[in-house]
């Protein structure tokens, strides 16, 4: 497919609109689309906008919500993931203290992080996300060893992961769990951790191949779309896989174009609105701290992510 080119004026308009958004959007626009390092903007994420709002909701016990995984979207777990995805500066003592507390109180018998202190089995998806933000915020390397070991024991023969694998018999990986673990492996590597790194990278290569064999959203057996929700653009994505989240991971990890990505890229381009923006198409129900963007409206998050995906795969010039 040939992607229709945007004129410099159209691109400039979209970028100007992004630069009118939250400081986290401003920072990532400069970093990812304009190639400009703006540490001054990154510092402001903790002091204003969405980042400051999230940090201000931490309670005296060192958690967000009711506990590590309760209530779901307002919990410590998903709040830490949100903070990481804002690209907030990682050297935040309160955040690092909370993660250390989780490691101390929520390590399960299998070595993974459990959703509740009395749980006996860890969840692969939770541990992939945990590795993602724990590595980003610079957790002690020794504290992450058992999490890494747990994830490696759950790696499946088809190349990916499935959060049900240590609860019942499973024969096929889940795109949701697989992407969460891939994001965790990337942060682990990026931040200089070494324990079991070769094994993780090998498993990660197999996991990328698993996603590509499915062209990100198609049944490997029939070629049909196996879940239409995978084509809906949301933010925050939480634990759910969608094509934009997957493509954004590929660009983040520096993975080169593969023909098997093309179906997802075609769908993404078709979702671009006439004004050059992308919408929020889906929202995952549940109580939230606050709403960043309303469903059905133009989304700075999705526009930023789509533009950096198309830039990486050379489908869109950026002025």
């Amino acid at each position: 497919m040939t992607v229709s080119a945007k004129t410099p004026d159209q691109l400039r308009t979209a970028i100007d609109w992004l630069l009118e958004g939250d400081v986290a959007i401003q920072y990532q626009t400069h970093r990812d689309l304009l190639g400009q390092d703006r540490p001054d903007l990154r510092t402001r994420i903790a002091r204003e906008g969405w980042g400051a709002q999230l940090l201000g909701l931490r309670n005296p016990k060192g958690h967000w919500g009711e506990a590590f995984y309760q209530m779901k979207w307002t919990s410590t777990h998903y709040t830490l993931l949100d903070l990481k995805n804002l690209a907030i500066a990682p050297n935040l003592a309160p955040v690092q203290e909370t993660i250390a507390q989780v490691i101390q109180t929520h390590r399960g018998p299998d070595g993974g992080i459990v959703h509740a202190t009395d749980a006996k089995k860890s969840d692969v998806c939770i541990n992939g996300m945990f590795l993602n933000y724990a590595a980003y915020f610079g957790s002690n390397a020794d504290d992450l060893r058992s999490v890494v070991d747990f994830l490696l024991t759950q790696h499946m023969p088809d190349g990916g992961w499935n959060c049900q694998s240590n609860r019942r018999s499973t024969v096929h990986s889940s795109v949701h769990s697989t992407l969460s673990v891939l994001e965790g492996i990337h942060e682990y590597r990026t931040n200089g951790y070494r324990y079991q790194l070769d094994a993780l990278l090998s498993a990660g290569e197999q996991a990328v191949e698993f996603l590509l064999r499915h062209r990100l959203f198609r049944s490997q057996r029939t070629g049909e779309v196996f879940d239409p929700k995978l084509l809906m653009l949301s933010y925050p994505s939480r634990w759910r896989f969608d094509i934009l989240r997957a493509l954004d991971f590929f660009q983040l990890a520096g993975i080169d174009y593969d023909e098997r990505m093309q179906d997802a890229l075609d769908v993404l381009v078709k979702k671009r609105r006439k004004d050059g923006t992308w919408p929020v198409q889906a929202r995952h129900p549940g109580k939230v701290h606050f709403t960043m963007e309303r469903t059905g409206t133009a989304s700075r998050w999705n526009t930023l992510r789509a533009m950096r995906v198309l830039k990486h795969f050379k489908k869109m010039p950026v002025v």
Side-chain angles (χ1 to χ4, degrees):
M1 171 189 173
T2 301
V3 177
S4 59
K6 287 289 180 182
T7 68
D9 285 345
Q10 288 173 306
L11 289 169
R12 188 73 253 172
T13 299
I15 289 174
D16 286 343
W17 178 69
L18 291 173
L19 292 175
E20 294 170 356
D22 184 88
V23 66
I25 297 286
Q26 295 176 41
Y27 170 67
Q28 293 187 45
T29 299
H30 278 285
R31 183 192 67 186
D32 301 333
L33 299 183
L34 300 177
Q36 300 169 354
D37 183 24
R38 291 290 303 273
D40 57 316
L41 290 175
R42 193 180 203 190
T43 299
R44 286 169 50 195
I45 297 172
R47 302 200 304 259
E48 61 185 80
W50 295 328
Q53 285 180 264
L54 290 174
L55 288 174
L57 292 168
R58 183 175 182 260
N59 63 44
K61 294 181 179 180
H63 274 289
W64 282 265
E66 296 178 10
F68 171 61
Y69 205 73
Q70 296 80 31
M71 298 291 291
K72 196 147 185 172
W73 307 142
T74 60
S75 69
T76 291
H77 175 72
Y78 282 104
T79 305
L80 290 173
L81 188 64
D82 285 342
L83 286 167
K84 183 267 174 184
N85 288 334
L86 291 177
I88 200 167
N91 57 338
L92 292 173
V95 171
Q96 293 171 336
E97 291 166 5
T98 294
I99 295 173
Q101 180 189 137
V102 170
I103 290 169
Q104 183 178 20
T105 59
H106 282 70
R107 196 185 304 277
D110 53 16
I113 300 299
V114 291
H115 71 283
T117 55
D118 59 350
K120 302 302 181 185
K121 291 186 179 294
S122 302
D123 179 281
V124 165
C125 210
I126 289 175
N127 278 266
M129 290 183 278
F130 177 82
L131 188 65
N132 185 0
Y133 58 72
Y136 177 84
F137 287 111
S139 295
N140 183 281
D142 288 343
D143 287 337
L144 300 183
R145 288 188 171 213
S146 69
V147 174
V148 168
D149 288 339
F150 167 73
L151 290 172
L152 288 172
T153 66
Q154 301 304 307
H155 189 221
M156 299 186 66
D158 64 359
W161 283 267
N162 188 315
C163 64
Q164 298 295 322
S165 59
N166 69 331
R167 298 182 180 88
R168 59 180 176 82
S169 177
T170 54
V171 297
H172 195 279
S173 294
S174 156
V175 292
H176 309 288
S177 300
T178 298
L179 184 54
S180 288
V181 178
L182 277 169
E183 290 168 340
I185 292 172
H186 173 77
E187 282 304 323
Y188 187 82
R189 177 187 190 180
T190 298
N191 288 283
Y193 294 92
R194 300 296 304 171
Y195 175 72
Q196 292 273 48
L197 182 59
D198 288 345
L200 281 176
L201 295 179
S202 176
E205 290 175 358
Q206 295 171 54
V208 168
E209 179 61 24
F210 165 77
L211 296 179
L212 291 176
R213 284 201 308 271
H214 290 80
R215 304 186 76 89
L216 279 65
F217 61 91
R218 296 189 183 279
S219 165
Q220 188 177 348
R221 182 174 56 84
T222 68
E224 298 298 315
V225 178
F226 58 83
D227 182 355
K229 292 179 182 178
L230 305 183
L231 306 180
M232 302 293 286
L233 309 185
S234 67
Y235 196 87
S237 303
R238 313 301 187 188
W239 59 267
R240 285 199 64 90
F241 177 104
D242 65 57
I243 57 168
L244 179 51
R245 181 181 164 201
L247 290 168
D248 197 29
F249 166 75
F250 290 154
Q251 72 79 25
L252 176 67
I255 296 172
D256 292 336
Y257 172 80
D258 185 293
E259 183 277 332
R260 293 170 293 179
M261 302 173 186
Q262 191 61 54
D263 287 357
L265 286 165
D266 289 346
V267 172
L268 180 64
V269 169
K270 288 178 181 177
K271 291 178 181 289
R272 182 169 55 198
R273 294 155 38 129
K274 291 182 179 179
D275 62 1
T277 67
W278 278 259
V280 181
Q281 296 184 302
R283 178 179 178 273
H284 307 305
K287 181 181 179 181
V288 297
H289 292 302
F290 54 85
T291 300
M292 294 183 186
E293 299 175 319
R294 291 185 295 109
T295 306
T297 62
S299 164
R300 286 188 171 91
W301 274 124
N302 289 342
T303 299
L304 166 66
R305 295 189 300 147
M307 288 182 71
R308 68 191 180 197
V309 162
L310 296 180
K311 177 188 176 187
H312 173 72
F313 291 115
K314 299 180 173 55
K315 303 295 185 182
M316 174 186 282
V318 175
V319 296

